[in-house]
């Protein structure tokens, strides 16, 4: 599973970098979106996500006597569960990424109104070349 995730991360980063070198502002924005999704997938893969792991739901605690006193003890093997922290970080990154993507789309739309082109590095009509 790690091999599949790493190949998918490599493909997303490659496609994102390819889009970053395009001349259209919208294509550059799509490149940034692809790279951010690749980073999210890399965090997910690094967080211990494998095919046999389960969500971190605790089992019903068992009342057991520990040292002569009754205590609630969970008999759950922690190796069977996934750490929930990377999932929380990824969810936060998706929300922040959506906000940044929306803001940049508005900036691109405003730039299109102003210069009547989406091309980067080229002056619009009525602008000087110097």
């Amino acid at each position: 599973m790690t091999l599949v995730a790493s190949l998918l991360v490599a493909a997303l980063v490659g496609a994102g970098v390819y889009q970053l070198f395009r001349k259209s502002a919208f294509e550059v924005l799509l490149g940034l979106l692809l790279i951010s999704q690749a980073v999210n997938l890399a965090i997910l893969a690094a967080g211990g996500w494998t095919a046999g792991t389960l969500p971190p739901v605790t089992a019903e605690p068992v009342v057991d006597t520990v040292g002569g006193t009754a205590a609630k003890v969970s008999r759950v093997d922690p190796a069977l569960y996934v750490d929930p922290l990377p999932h929380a970080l990824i969810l936060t990154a998706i929300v922040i990424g959506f906000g940044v993507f929306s803001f940049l789309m508005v900036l691109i739309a405003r730039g299109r109104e102003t210069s009547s082109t989406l091309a980067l590095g080229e002056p619009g009509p009525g602008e000087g070349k110097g």
Side-chain angles (χ1 to χ4, degrees), residues 44-124:
L44 182 67
W49 166 62
T50 58
T53 54
L54 301 170
V57 178
T58 59
E60 189 68 32
V62 178
V63 177
D64 196 5
T65 56
V66 178
T69 60
K72 289 187 177 182
V73 184
S74 179
R75 303 211 189 279
V76 177
D77 184 14
L80 297 176
Y81 296 98
V82 177
D83 184 19
L85 182 62
H87 295 84
L89 292 174
I90 291 169
L91 182 62
T92 304
I94 289 171
V95 171
I96 292 171
F98 179 72
V100 170
F101 182 77
S102 301
F103 178 68
L104 291 176
M105 283 295 295
V106 170
L107 284 180
I108 288 173
R110 181 66 179 142
R112 171 91 166 112
E113 289 176 3
T114 304
S115 66
S116 72
T117 183
L118 287 178
L120 298 175
E122 297 177 5

